[in-house]
């Protein structure tokens, strides 16, 4: 039983380890590898909670470890990636005293930190989310340099190399992390299509987006997730 008690925390630490590796790749602008290790960390983040519930060993320590690990994997890494994008594309536009401009990319890290701290004390987010979860936001931000790398669209290239567009994405990201917008949970608790129609439909559409648009599909599905949640909220109110 003592071994079972530590398995979820070990998985959480592996999430943190993945985040640390992703940080090093992001420092060197190896965004594909950074994306890979952030994705691995998010995968592990899902299973630490799964095993904690399975073994019935959930604890306050596990809750704190989870947030601290997410702070690196889903908080520090996307902030650094945005910093790297801004520093690559802002120099011809912002000069002189605006050389600090790329550091504004870390607004994402600040927004992630606030969300993670608030999530631990917000009793409303046990079965669903209020505001964009940090893992979803991290995948959205890390998909941007990959979309830029593999796209042939001049419009997309001009958009994602504009420092002020990147700043707008940064501010919007920090806002969405902490916005009072209920987002539906992706957890399927009962084997009933009727009760899980929204989740199943979203997963099918997400799969199609990834197949047809690859990295751009990740960007689109996060946006679709937020939009679908807003539509679902308005439908439930009627």
């Amino acid at each position: 039983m003592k071994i079972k008690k530590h398995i979820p925390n070990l998985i959480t630490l592996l999430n943190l380890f993945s985040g640390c590796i992703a940080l090093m790749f992001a420092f060197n602008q190896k965004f594909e590898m950074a994306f890979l290790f952030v994705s691995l960390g998010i995968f592990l983040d899902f299973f630490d909670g799964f095993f904690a519930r399975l073994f019935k060993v959930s604890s306050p320590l596990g809750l704190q470890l989870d947030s601290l690990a997410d702070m690196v994997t889903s908080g520090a890494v996307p902030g650094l990636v945005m910093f790297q994008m801004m520093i690559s594309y802002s120099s011809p536009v912002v000069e002189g005293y605006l050389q600090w401009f790329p550091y504004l990319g870390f607004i994402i890290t600040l927004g992630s930190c606030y969300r993670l701290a608030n999530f631990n004390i917000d009793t409303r987010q046990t079965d669903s989310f209020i505001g964009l979860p940090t893992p979803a936001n991290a995948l959205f931000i890390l998909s941007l340099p990959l979309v830029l790398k593999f796209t042939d669209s001049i419009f997309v290239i001009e958009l994602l190399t504009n420092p002020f567009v990147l700043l707008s994405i940064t501010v919007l990201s920090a806002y969405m992390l902490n916005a009072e917008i209920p987002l539906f949970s992706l957890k399927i608790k009962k084997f009933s299509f009727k009760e899980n129609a929204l989740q199943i439909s979203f997963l099918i559409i997400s799969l199609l987006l990834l197949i047809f648009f690859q990295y751009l599909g990740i960007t689109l599905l996060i946006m679709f997730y937020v939009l679908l949640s807003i539509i679902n909220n308005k439908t439930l109110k009627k």
Side-chain angles (χ1 to χ4, degrees), residues 58-221:
S58 299
S59 67
L61 174 62
L63 180 65
Q64 298 305 318
L65 276 178
D66 188 67
S67 290
L68 290 170
D70 283 349
M71 184 57 216
V72 175
T73 305
S74 299
V77 177
L80 178 59
V81 168
M82 183 55 75
F83 166 82
Q84 294 283 33
M85 290 186 72
M86 284 185 168
I87 208 168
S88 296
Y89 306 119
S90 64
S91 54
V93 181
V94 292
E95 299 177 352
Y97 66 92
L98 287 179
Q99 288 181 354
W100 48 263
F101 185 86
Y103 291 94
L104 294 176
F106 288 107
I107 290 174
I108 294 171
T109 303
L110 303 182
S112 300
C113 181
Y114 189 88
R115 176 186 168 75
L116 289 167
N118 189 47
F119 181 83
N120 286 349
I121 60 174
D122 192 342
T123 57
R124 300 173 298 168
Q125 301 191 58
T126 53
D127 295 320
S128 59
F129 301 108
I130 297 176
L132 189 64
T134 52
N137 184 67
L139 289 176
F140 175 77
I141 297 299
L142 268 77
S143 70
L144 298 179
L146 301 181
V147 169
L148 189 58
K149 180 178 179 180
F150 293 104
T151 188
D152 294 322
S153 170
I154 296 176
F155 173 75
V156 173
I157 292 172
E158 290 181 350
L159 198 67
L160 294 181
T161 55
N162 185 311
F164 299 106
V165 170
L166 294 177
L167 178 60
S168 299
I169 292 172
T170 297
V171 174
L172 180 62
S173 167
Y175 168 75
M176 288 304 302
L177 284 165
N178 297 284
E180 288 288 315
I181 301 175
L183 303 178
F184 66 89
S185 174
L186 296 177
K187 294 179 181 178
I188 298 176
K189 296 183 176 180
K190 296 181 180 179
F191 294 98
S192 168
F193 178 81
K194 185 177 180 181
E195 294 186 16
N196 299 290
L198 183 64
Q199 288 84 351
I200 293 171
S201 300
F202 173 75
L203 291 173
I204 293 172
I205 293 172
S206 297
L207 183 61
L208 292 173
L209 286 172
L210 292 174
I211 291 172
F212 288 106
F213 296 100
Q214 299 180 341
Y215 288 116
L216 179 58
I218 297 169
T219 310
L220 294 175
L221 75 86

Side-chain angles (χ1 to χ4, degrees), residues 216-229:
L216 179 58
I218 297 169
T219 310
L220 294 175
L221 75 86
I222 300 300
M223 296 169 64
F224 177 63
Y225 174 50
V226 175
L227 180 62
L228 188 60
S229 293

